[in-house]
Amino acid sequence: MAAPCRHVGQHIKRNGRFLRINLDQLFASRGFRWTSALQQQGAEVYKESKEPIVIPRKKSWSSEAVLEALASTVHRDPTAYPYQFQDDSYLSPRTSTEFKLFSLSQESGRAAAKYFVNNNPKFFTKDFAEPHIPCLMPESVVLRLEEVSEEALKERINLRKVSAAVEMYDQLLQAGTSVSVETTQELLDLICLYCDKNPVQEGAPEVEDTEEAGEETKRRKPKGRRAADHLKTSWKENNNAERIFNLLPERDSRCYSALIRGMVKHGAYTKAFSLYTDLLNNRLSADVHTFNALISAVPDVRDKFNERWDLITELLNQMNEQKVRPNLLTFNSVLKALRRCGFLAKTYAPQTLNEMKALGIAPSLATYDHILAVFYKSGSSGPNNTDILQDMLTELEGTSFTCQDPHDVFFFSSAMRICLDSKDLELGYKVHSLLEVGDNWRLLGDSHQQSVYYGRFFSLLCMMEHIDVVLKWYSRIIPSLYYPNPQGMRDLLQALDTDGRLDLLPTIWKDIKTLGHDNKVDLVEELLSLMAREEHSPEMQESFAACALDVRSVFDSRSSTEWSTSSLSHITTLLLRANKLQQAWDMLLLFKAQNRVPSEVLLNNFLSVCQSSGAPKRAVELVQLAAAFCLPATPVLAKTALAEFQLTDEQRSILSEFEAAPEKETE
Amino acid sequence: MHRLLSRTVSAARTRSLCVYECCVLPAKIDNVSRPFTGVGANTICTCTVRRCEKKDDAIPSNQGEATNLDTETKTTQLQEESLEANDGGSTQQQRNVKAEQVLSKPSQVKTDGAKSGKKSLLDLLGAMKVEVTSKRKLKNLKMKQSFESAVQYKSKSAAMESTISMFQKANVQASAQSEVLDPDLVAAASAAASTLLNRSRAESELLKQLRQRKALTEAQKKGDINNLGVLIADMKVGKTPGRQNAWPADQIRFDDDGQGYTRDRGITSELANVRKRRNIFPTKRLNIFSPTTDEQRGDSALAKPTLWDLDFANELSLTTNQMPRNGFEEMIQWTKEGKLWHYPINNEIGLEDEASVPFNEHIFLEKHLEEGFPRQGPVRHFMELVVAGLSRNPYLTVQQKKEHISWFRDYFHQREAVLNEADVYLN
């Protein structure tokens, strides 16, 4: 309890300092005013009122202030599961797949509950909360107004029932009722946003999809819903939006804006531009959102880089002429378009950034991401060309960001990619320290983005950092933040190899097992080969042997996996080094069962272990086994066994048979 | 009361007629003095008798004692004597007193009946006592005590026994009715009620209203506590402390390591520092927009968010990681979503609708009595007590307080005719 108290204290101290600074500023301004006034009155008065009384301004706290202070005392526990899984011990993810599955099922469970509550409000009439909490009560999702009126149309728009709203609008028009401009505008917005399709209600069972979608989409299903969504929503010629738009007696710029934005959103770029020309011909001015949409559509309507850039500048000039003030998204879409302008980008991207700064628009992370993408085309960058990222990070150091552009979430992973490509560890640390400022971790995006980022960071660490530091990071971010993929684990194994910390391999094997990578044959094989490569101290060999047996049991329990010769021989070698003759013999039998052939070296090893542990019977069996495999080395083995072991006559006769027989064959 | 008694007595010393004047006190004391009249008149009678006997100047001190101490046997005896002796005169006196003082009709009727002899006088006194028991409630505690003593020293009188039992009964009844209400308020209510025709009904109606308001207050008070309970229940306090201090120390050490490692880079980092100083980008810009176009900013902020804006905000929240990292962050999230009551940051939490109401609106409620209430009289007195109570009630909103007052305004207004008839609605 002492630690949280201390943290609260620190927080208060920090805030206190902030308050003091504020006061100082206030004091300074007050003092200045006083002196300027008093100078006119004369020196005597000035002496009297040397210390003006400063009334501190009332500090207003947000309603979450206390909670925020409390939250700042809680630090991330790298040994605990993410917070959202702590309520249910059953939902404790150990692998990235489980993480995805559990978090998705949690979300979909919530959505399904909400769907059920909203669609069956009659079961949820009891209001427990006092005072009333509106968001806990079912929302009305069912249409109430049945008659043909503008109110009913508004209700349909609010509930986002696209087709019902269009129907109602048509009925209103047929009845001769005029619909207000505002409502028409909202209707157009609705149709354009959803491209004349009813949006899927959150949590609704997706029955319609499977019915509508043919076999083609079923095949596409694994690609995810995004692909299916994209397939569904393409702007159709003369859809309801265009029809209603054409029916309008007067078209203001908002109507145009809705249509242009809808067309750009749903891929009808050329149409959007022709509508924009129409708008200009009607001597209307577009709003900033329209321009943003048009700028982002530029690369799709022009083929040549020069033409693209010319069109962008033309649009920007028109904005200026129409006295439309650009915003952050304008410049972000310019930069995004510039990414597809090839060689021109490197010239104009910095200029765009400077223009933003001149206008006093603070760039968001998306802006920086676009610039990075312009300057670091993957693969093409030289090893030491990280100046721009370096510069950027110096500028951004200690800044806390909020998400202003959906593209913001790509910054961290692409910055880390550049660090990884240029193998710049210091820069990687800088990027990571920026991530740890304030709420910046939220801008890391969804779990996929997060795993990409941490994967790159971890690879960079494994590649460049000392193994002790790597292991500290390892315990810090795995598995509470990052579930490494097989490649990440392989990087770690390499790092362990480089710094000679192979004694940790059994621990890593346990982690591999926990992370569910024990079915990745090549990873396991690499682990085994690292263990079997050299001979170590007896204790280490003992632990390696235990690990090898564990690997074997995992392989045995999984019938589908095939043993490879190398992994079998690695395990056998490890067992032999730990003098586990019986288990090693079992492994040799496994060779036979799996139709694999053991190497000569392995058999020799086995024989020498037999000798050192004094097991002549096993030696004979080995030679018999070798003969069963028809190995060319059988006679040599038999000879060695005859020479070095104390054998009974019977055994001798068997061995001498092997010693002679193959030679006959070869002769 | 004692002072009043002694004043009366001292007045009686000079001239017995002055007693009569003393009894006819100004309107304010009249209610108070009324219960006394019965007693006082008797004592005075005693006094006169005694004076006749002793004719001594030292009597006043004795008389002071007589009212308080020696009393009992003497007074009762004397009372009877005096009643016999001064039958005509004192009765006449008392009747006059009654006629002037007693406001309500029933007692007046009784006074009329008091004309005939001792028996009727006893009846009258008995009736008076009943009246007194209801009047009594009007007085504050001190008066009540002294009156009780006054009653006590009469308690041996056989004639008064029934009166006392009635008094007790009335007392019990009153306390049963008041239940949890402040006795003063009950007293005031019954006083106000007594001015009306149907006394008990009026009283119960008034008390009902008061009780209702009290119940509302209680509910709102209790509600607050319940809210707090729910809030605390939601806090999950027990969950976090175990792992709070698990890591920071390591973290610091680790950061040190990181530092140490970067220091190893030596020349490279120095070079980087040199590099930092110059800006990679040329200062050239597009030169399309002019920096000073601030005038259009206002309208975009004022406009209602369109569907597109909502969609954009939704997209932003979907792309970022909104998962809470600990219980407090979850509570912050819930607070923002409106699922949780606000964590108290000052004493005015939960008073959002009252936030704009200054305190004086809560405290100084007399101004609401300016209209629709009489300027003086029992109704006014009652309402002043109601207002005083309301001004100390932190659990009702100003609106509720105003409603409460206006309920009484309507109530008394509806019965204005009756009140006027009783001559108590002085407006």
Side-chain angles (χ1 to χ4, degrees):
Chain A
M1 202 53 213
C5 285
R6 200 189 62 208
H7 286 297
V8 171
Q10 280 173 356
H11 193 84
I12 290 167
K13 212 169 111 192
R14 219 181 306 146
N15 276 327
R17 201 187 307 142
F18 175 70
L19 192 69
R20 212 160 51 234
I21 290 165
N22 266 355
L23 275 181
D24 285 348
Q25 284 170 353
L26 197 71
F27 183 87
S29 63
R30 285 284 177 92
F32 179 70
R33 222 178 296 149
W34 269 106
T35 46
S36 64
L38 286 165
Q39 270 166 359
Q40 296 168 348
Q41 289 178 9
E44 303 105 47
V45 193
Y46 181 72
K47 273 176 196 168
E48 283 169 16
S49 59
K50 256 180 190 170
E51 288 185 24
I53 299 163
V54 182
I55 301 163
R57 250 187 301 178
K58 189 188 173 190
K59 175 105 178 80
S60 57
W61 297 91
S62 76
S63 56
E64 297 100 28
V66 177
L67 286 172
E68 273 161 10
L70 286 170
S72 73
T73 64
V74 185
H75 292 280
R76 196 177 67 79
D77 177 9
T79 62
Y81 289 113
Y83 179 74
Q84 73 254 38
F85 301 118
Q86 283 177 9
D87 280 342
D88 193 344
S89 54
Y90 183 74
L91 294 177
S92 304
R94 289 178 301 127
T95 68
S96 56
T97 351
E98 278 182 1
F99 178 85
K100 206 177 282 175
L101 182 69
F102 292 162
S103 43
L104 283 179
S105 33
Q106 204 175 30
E107 276 308 304
S108 68
R110 278 194 193 125
K114 196 156 185 145
Y115 175 81
F116 186 79
V117 169
N118 287 343
N119 282 280
N120 301 282
K122 61 175 185 286
F123 299 129
F124 302 95
T125 46
K126 186 143 180 62
D127 188 3
F128 292 98
E130 177 64 43
H132 178 65
I133 298 177
C135 69
L136 293 185
M137 299 309 284
E139 294 162 23
S140 61
V141 290
V142 187
L143 295 172
R144 295 237 171 76
L145 302 171
E146 288 302 324
E147 81 276 11
V148 179
S149 69
E150 192 172 325
E151 281 306 310
L153 176 61
K154 272 185 184 163
E155 190 195 26
R156 278 152 181 72
I157 291 169
N158 283 334
L159 294 176
R160 306 199 180 183
K161 308 258 186 208
V162 178
S163 47
V166 171
E167 213 171 282
M168 180 60 67
Y169 182 80
D170 289 342
Q171 285 174 359
L172 279 171
L173 282 197
Q174 278 167 15
T177 336
S178 65
V179 182
S180 74
V181 182
E182 194 67 21
T183 318
T184 320
Q185 180 58 50
E186 277 173 13
L187 178 67
L188 272 180
D189 277 346
L190 181 75
I191 301 171
C192 293
L193 180 63
Y194 292 110
C195 193
D196 208 5
K197 294 267 170 33
N198 277 327
V200 180
Q201 198 189 340
E202 201 187 352
E206 289 173 49
V207 188
E208 294 162 38
D209 283 22
T210 42
E211 280 173 7
E212 278 178 28
E215 284 175 19
E216 205 177 325
T217 37
K218 265 182 193 167
R219 252 180 264 139
R220 282 166 186 263
K221 272 266 151 135
K223 279 187 181 176
R225 243 180 82 187
R226 207 170 279 180
D229 274 352
H230 186 73
L231 204 77
K232 274 203 298 184
T233 59
S234 59
W235 193 266
K236 288 204 187 84
E237 194 77 24
N238 286 324
N239 64 7
N240 283 319
E242 285 183 40
R243 189 171 57 81
I244 291 171
F245 179 76
N246 290 328
L247 284 174
L248 286 181
E250 274 181 39
R251 293 160 205 159
D252 61 355
S253 65
R254 269 194 73 190
C255 299
Y256 276 104
S257 167
L259 235 69
I260 291 171
R261 289 174 86 178
M263 284 168 176
V264 171
K265 190 180 166 76
H266 301 291
Y269 306 113
T270 332
K271 270 184 99 68
F273 273 93
S274 64
L275 200 66
Y276 176 63
T277 333
D278 196 24
L279 177 142
L280 289 183
N281 291 338
N282 285 331
R283 290 183 188 168
L284 289 167
S285 66
D287 63 358
V288 63
H289 304 295
T290 318
F291 280 114
N292 292 351
L294 287 172
I295 289 169
S296 61
V298 164
D300 294 297
V301 290
R302 295 283 186 279
D303 289 332
K304 285 180 186 160
F305 295 154
N306 273 327
E307 287 172 1
R308 284 178 185 174
W309 178 245
D310 288 345
L311 186 54
I312 290 173
T313 39
E314 193 191 324
L315 283 169
L316 288 175
N317 280 319
Q318 280 166 358
M319 274 179 94
N320 195 34
E321 280 161 23
Q322 295 175 22
K323 299 247 182 284
V324 176
R325 194 177 162 72
N327 58 15
L328 173 73
L329 292 175
T330 316
F331 288 110
N332 279 356
S333 32
V334 169
L335 285 168
K336 198 176 181 181
L338 267 175
R339 285 172 79 161
R340 294 167 68 184
C341 286
F343 61 93
L344 290 172
K346 284 192 186 182
T347 325
Y348 292 114
Q351 291 187 16
T352 315
L353 185 67
N354 286 328
E355 182 86 7
M356 282 176 83
K357 285 177 179 165
L359 289 178
I361 296 168
S364 78
L365 285 180
T367 321
Y368 292 114
D369 181 49
H370 293 315
I371 290 170
L372 284 182
V374 163
F375 282 93
Y376 300 98
K377 291 279 178 207
S378 55
S380 68
S381 66
N384 278 321
N385 190 16
T386 54
D387 296 358
I388 290 171
L389 183 59
Q390 192 79 257
D391 250 32
M392 239 174 226
L393 290 172
T394 322
E395 194 180 303
L396 298 180
E397 211 171 350
T399 330
S400 175
F401 290 94
T402 50
C403 192
Q404 291 168 292
D405 186 323
H407 204 88
D408 279 355
V409 294
F410 296 104
F411 173 78
F412 283 109
S413 54
S414 57
M416 199 45 96
R417 179 178 57 78
I418 292 160
C419 295
L420 181 62
D421 285 349
S422 55
K423 299 190 174 55
D424 193 333
L425 187 64
E426 196 196 358
L427 212 54
Y429 278 133
K430 270 191 170 179
V431 173
H432 195 72
S433 69
L434 180 65
L435 181 73
E436 282 170 343
V437 174
D439 267 355
N440 286 356
W441 61 274
R442 288 194 191 280
L443 293 175
L444 205 49
D446 57 6
S447 62
H448 174 69
Q449 283 289 327
Q450 192 172 330
S451 66
V452 167
Y453 170 82
Y454 278 112
R456 283 168 182 167
F457 183 48
F458 190 63
S459 302
L460 181 65
L461 283 172
C462 288
M463 212 185 288
M464 306 300 294
E465 189 57 283
H466 186 259
I467 187 67
D468 291 341
V469 185
V470 173
L471 287 173
K472 266 174 189 160
W473 278 107
Y474 180 79
S475 58
R476 245 182 96 179
I477 62 175
I478 294 169
S480 57
L481 283 175
Y482 170 52
Y483 302 97
N485 52 7
Q487 183 55 44
M489 291 315 283
R490 209 169 291 137
D491 288 342
L492 179 67
L493 290 179
Q494 275 161 12
L496 286 170
D497 186 20
T498 322
D499 284 317
R501 292 295 304 275
L502 293 176
D503 53 318
L504 293 168
L505 285 175
T507 333
I508 303 297
W509 161 249
K510 276 182 193 156
D511 289 348
I512 290 175
K513 231 168 52 164
T514 322
L515 288 165
H517 293 324
D518 51 2
N519 55 352
K520 309 287 188 302
V521 179
D522 42 353
L523 180 66
V524 178
E525 217 158 274
E526 186 159 347
L527 177 87
L528 288 172
S529 72
L530 275 179
M531 284 199 291
R533 199 177 54 196
E534 292 154 32
E535 210 160 324
H536 302 275
S537 64
E539 300 89 49
M540 250 171 90
Q541 287 301 344
E542 198 65 38
S543 68
F544 279 6
C547 177
L549 280 175
D550 196 29
V551 173
R552 197 204 139 168
S553 66
V554 167
F555 265 62
D556 283 344
S557 65
R558 205 173 279 128
S559 54
S560 57
T561 44
E562 288 258 313
W563 282 99
S564 70
T565 317
S566 57
S567 51
L568 278 172
S569 48
H570 286 321
I571 293 176
T572 322
T573 317
L574 285 167
L575 292 171
L576 284 175
R577 279 186 197 151
N579 285 322
K580 292 186 188 301
L581 204 59
Q582 179 57 42
Q583 283 96 333
W585 177 249
D586 291 343
M587 287 308 294
L588 279 185
L589 292 180
L590 207 59
F591 270 94
K592 205 174 177 185
Q594 296 279 331
N595 292 324
R596 307 278 172 191
V597 181
S599 68
E600 198 178 324
V601 185
L602 183 71
L603 293 178
N604 281 329
N605 268 341
F606 195 96
L607 201 64
S608 58
V609 174
C610 285
Q611 194 201 0
S612 61
S613 56
K617 191 165 169 267
R618 192 65 80 202
V620 176
E621 280 170 353
L622 175 75
V623 178
Q624 282 175 322
L625 186 80
F629 281 122
C630 297
L631 284 177
T634 317
V636 186
L637 281 171
K639 205 180 276 177
T640 337
L642 275 174
E644 292 177 2
F645 285 85
Q646 302 275 325
L647 300 167
T648 58
D649 290 343
E650 195 186 341
Q651 285 167 336
R652 266 178 198 284
S653 65
I654 298 167
L655 281 184
S656 47
E657 193 179 311
F658 287 123
E659 194 186 4
E663 276 173 26
K664 275 179 207 161
E665 278 174 24
T666 44
E667 278 163 18
Chain B
M1 184 65 190
H2 184 262
R3 217 175 52 200
L4 192 73
L5 201 69
S6 56
R7 258 176 73 192
T8 337
V9 168
S10 64
R13 192 181 55 191
T14 51
R15 209 155 283 273
S16 66
L17 269 178
C18 292
V19 176
Y20 175 67
E21 280 172 14
C22 264
C23 290
V24 192
L25 281 166
K28 272 187 187 174
I29 326 168
D30 92 7
N31 285 331
V32 181
S33 62
R34 232 189 303 157
F36 174 69
T37 48
V39 186
N42 289 335
T43 11
I44 288 154
C45 298
T46 328
C47 298
T48 45
V49 171
R50 285 184 107 196
R51 220 162 80 153
C52 298
E53 283 172 358
K54 293 187 179 177
K55 293 177 183 172
D56 201 335
D57 269 346
I59 284 172
S61 62
N62 280 337
Q63 277 176 337
E65 282 174 302
T67 47
N68 292 325
L69 299 169
D70 60 330
T71 62
E72 288 149 43
T73 49
K74 246 186 200 171
T75 6
T76 39
Q77 287 166 0
L78 285 171
Q79 190 188 10
E80 280 176 6
E81 280 170 23
S82 68
L83 282 173
E84 279 173 291
N86 301 342
D87 195 29
S90 70
T91 318
Q92 191 57 44
Q93 266 185 20
Q94 287 209 342
R95 206 198 59 183
N96 287 342
V97 169
K98 285 296 128 201
E100 285 204 325
Q101 286 177 350
V102 177
L103 296 163
S104 60
K105 275 181 183 176
S107 51
Q108 255 177 343
V109 175
K110 293 257 161 94
T111 328
D112 295 334
K115 278 176 185 170
S116 57
K118 181 182 158 189
K119 202 188 170 190
S120 58
L121 183 67
L122 279 175
D123 282 348
L124 169 74
L125 283 170
M128 270 171 61
K129 279 299 148 202
V130 177
E131 172 113 11
V132 161
T133 50
S134 64
K135 292 286 152 56
R136 189 198 63 86
K137 294 163 195 161
L138 191 68
K139 292 173 300 175
N140 47 27
L141 211 61
K142 238 196 261 173
M143 293 176 167
K144 189 164 69 184
Q145 277 170 351
S146 56
F147 174 67
E148 268 167 6
S149 71
V151 170
Q152 263 174 8
Y153 78 70
K154 276 196 166 187
S155 60
K156 296 215 170 150
S157 148
M160 286 298 140
E161 220 148 68
S162 61
T163 324
I164 289 155
S165 70
M166 280 174 83
F167 161 68
Q168 280 167 346
K169 214 171 85 188
N171 208 2
V172 168
Q173 200 186 353
S175 64
Q177 272 179 342
S178 61
E179 277 176 340
V180 283
L181 288 176
D182 187 16
D184 291 353
L185 212 56
V186 178
S190 52
S194 69
T195 60
L196 295 173
L197 185 60
N198 193 341
R199 197 192 318 164
S200 61
R201 208 197 63 187
E203 187 177 327
S204 70
E205 271 177 31
L206 286 173
L207 286 175
K208 199 174 128 201
Q209 167 70 6
L210 285 171
R211 254 196 295 279
Q212 236 169 26
R213 196 50 49 158
K214 179 149 175 127
L216 180 65
T217 308
E218 284 293 321
Q220 292 189 1
K221 193 168 158 186
K222 222 178 266 175
D224 285 356
I225 293 160
N226 282 346
N227 291 354
L228 201 65
V230 171
L231 191 72
I232 289 167
D234 274 349
M235 272 167 69
K236 298 181 185 169
V237 175
K239 269 203 147 181
T240 39
R243 56 192 175 85
Q244 278 172 352
N245 47 5
W247 273 87
D250 276 16
Q251 207 176 322
I252 292 160
R253 221 183 306 143
F254 183 74
D255 286 343
D256 283 349
D257 278 7
Q259 280 283 318
Y261 194 74
T262 41
R263 230 182 293 131
D264 289 347
R265 288 175 64 102
I267 301 164
T268 338
S269 59
E270 266 175 45
L271 278 176
N273 284 336
V274 173
R275 231 181 326 175
K276 272 172 208 163
R277 273 173 221 141
R278 67 187 174 82
N279 195 351
I280 274 278
F281 299 131
T283 45
K284 214 175 134 190
R285 67 185 188 97
L286 291 174
N287 283 321
I288 292 173
F289 297 100
S290 54
T292 51
T293 44
D294 287 16
E295 66 274 5
Q296 284 198 325
R297 260 189 196 173
D299 54 351
S300 65
L302 285 172
K304 182 184 145 205
T306 63
L307 203 59
W308 293 97
D309 296 337
L310 294 177
D311 186 60
F312 182 69
N314 188 32
E315 198 183 344
L316 282 187
S317 71
L318 281 180
T319 50
T320 53
N321 184 0
Q322 297 293 344
M323 279 295 157
R325 290 179 302 177
N326 54 54
F328 292 122
E329 288 190 349
E330 193 172 40
M331 280 167 76
I332 292 173
Q333 204 174 322
W334 286 346
T335 313
K336 282 178 181 163
E337 285 168 8
K339 287 179 189 167
L340 199 67
W341 290 288
H342 286 187
Y343 198 94
I345 49 161
N346 53 28
N347 287 339
E348 280 140 37
I349 201 70
L351 297 174
E352 280 78 18
D353 44 344
E354 286 286 293
S356 56
V357 181
F359 83 100
N360 54 316
E361 293 281 321
H362 273 278
I363 305 295
F364 303 114
L365 297 160
E366 282 82 2
K367 60 182 177 188
H368 302 301
L369 302 184
E370 298 298 317
E371 276 177 40
F373 289 106
R375 296 234 165 268
Q376 51 191 353
V379 172
R380 175 75 181 190
H381 183 76
F382 170 75
M383 281 319 294
E384 271 166 5
L385 283 175
V386 166
V387 161
L390 283 178
S391 71
R392 291 172 202 177
N393 189 332
Y395 302 104
L396 296 176
T397 63
V398 167
Q399 193 50 42
Q400 281 170 320
K401 289 179 180 182
K402 281 179 190 165
E403 279 167 15
H404 189 52
I405 292 168
S406 70
W407 183 91
F408 283 113
R409 187 181 292 127
D410 292 345
Y411 182 83
F412 289 120
H413 191 71
Q414 281 163 17
R415 286 149 187 83
E416 200 176 346
V418 185
L419 290 166
N420 278 331
E421 199 177 332
D423 213 19
V424 287
Y425 196 83
L426 309 169
N427 208 8

